[in-house]
């Protein structure tokens, strides 16, 4: 058999010869879905002009440039989020996505708002992971008035304008953590609560869901007042040592934000005979080692790559829909890990 012709390719793709010519020549409008079908057929039949087709399909993809502003003092967490977003952008086949990623390592709202406004003229939309603050809200409203969409990542943000959200149901995360203590503690007692910072709305909702479960289903437990680690391992270690010293009858610790490394270090150094139930967030090297050596009982984790993929889709949809987008939310199921399934 001779090499496949344009007519053979048209037949394999289920389109006309004229459509094949438009795809190859780059002239005229061809639906993106049709172009991909032609490309797949060319690969199957071994069409001689495969390289040219691949070039045409790649050149025809819509191009978007999105800004990403990540405010998190936890470098390991920020790195995972940024890496996942970059992988999502590179693997997105329907459009060409360019990302400008800005990592902010403190909790200053001035930095977040100024960075969002600074990059706004260079991008088609912004994804932001930030703590709630009037300056951040004002920046979102100003960008929205200019027609620039904003997607809140992992921690929801309030604003007068429409803000999309991609992340977990934080209230359910908190209730799931509470369920773990209720079922794993051999007897009721005191539970210490360490939060990253209440300035992240997701941290506030973790605690709200956590407390609601105990009020409803396990009132015999005593929940200590939450203490902020400010996402710092050093501060978290000191706070954990204080909890262990001042509450010898402590049954468990819930770490609903950054600082888990400091908590685990304090527990390991303490050499306590009693076995504490400890629940933390996000499967990374630190938490994985805690699960493996038994210092950490359970981890509730963001499925980072799934969230990143959803964020890219949300940005594209928001850019195309404009003000018609509404308050779009992509709530992703969270993952639960113990030493037995990592």
């Amino acid at each position: 058999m001779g090499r496949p012709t344009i007519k053979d390719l048209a037949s394999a793709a289920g389109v006309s010869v004229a459509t094949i010519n438009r795809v190859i020549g780059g002239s005229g409008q061809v639906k993106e879905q049709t172009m991909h079908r032609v490309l797949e057929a060319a690969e199957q039949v071994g069409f001689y002009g495969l390289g040219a087709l691949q070039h045409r399909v790649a050149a025809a993809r819509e191009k978007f440039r999105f800004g990403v502003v990540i405010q998190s003092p936890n470098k390991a967490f920020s790195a995972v989020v940024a890496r996942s977003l970059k992988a999502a952008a590179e693997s997105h086949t329907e459009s060409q996505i360019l990302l400008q990623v800005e990592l902010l390592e403190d909790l200053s709202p001035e930095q977040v708002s100024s960075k969002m406004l600074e990059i706004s003229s260079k991008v088609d939309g912004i994804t932001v992971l930030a703590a709630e603050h009037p300056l951040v809200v004002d920046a979102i409203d100003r960008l929205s008035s200019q027609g620039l969409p904003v997607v809140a990542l992992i921690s929801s943000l309030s604003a007068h304008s429409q803000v999309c959200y991609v992340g977990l149901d934080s209230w359910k995360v908190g209730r799931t953590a509470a369920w773990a203590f209720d079922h794993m503690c051999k007897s009721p007692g005191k539970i210490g609560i360490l939060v990253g910072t209440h300035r992240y709305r997701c941290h506030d909702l973790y605690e709200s869901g956590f407390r609601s479960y105990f009020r409803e289903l396990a009132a015999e437990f005593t929940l200590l007042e939450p203490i902020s680690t400010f996402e710092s391992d050093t501060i978290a270690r000191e706070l954990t040592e204080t909890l262990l010293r001042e509450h010898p009858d402590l049954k468990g610790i819930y770490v609903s934000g950054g600082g888990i490394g400091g908590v685990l270090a304090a527990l390991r150094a303490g050499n306590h005979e009693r076995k504490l139930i400890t629940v933390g967030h996000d499967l990374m090297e630190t938490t994985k080692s805690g699960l493996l050596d038994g210092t950490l009982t359970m981890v509730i984790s963001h499925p980072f790559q799934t969230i990143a993929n959803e964020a890219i889709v949300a940005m594209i949809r928001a850019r195309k829909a404009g003000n018609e987008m509404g308050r779009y939310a992509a709530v992703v199921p969270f993952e639960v890990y113990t030493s037995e399934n990592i």
Side-chain angles (χ1 to χ4, degrees), residues 200-271:
Y200 288 114
R201 290 187 75 188
C202 59
H203 291 187
D204 234 6
L205 288 169
Y206 296 153
E207 186 197 342
S208 176
F210 192 72
R211 290 185 177 279
S212 74
Y213 178 95
F214 282 105
R215 281 196 303 269
E216 180 185 348
L217 299 171
E220 62 275 19
F221 281 83
T222 300
L223 302 185
L224 301 179
E225 281 300 305
I227 315 171
S228 179
T229 68
F230 297 102
E231 303 285 286
S232 164
D233 282 345
T234 302
I235 294 175
R237 178 165 186 166
E238 293 175 359
L239 294 174
T240 303
E241 290 170 347
T242 301
L243 280 174
L244 295 172
R245 184 173 61 252
E246 295 182 354
H247 302 281
D249 54 345
L250 194 68
K251 295 291 184 178
I253 301 176
Y254 176 37
V255 189
S256 65
I260 188 67
V263 174
L264 297 179
L267 292 175
R268 288 170 181 141
N271 242 347

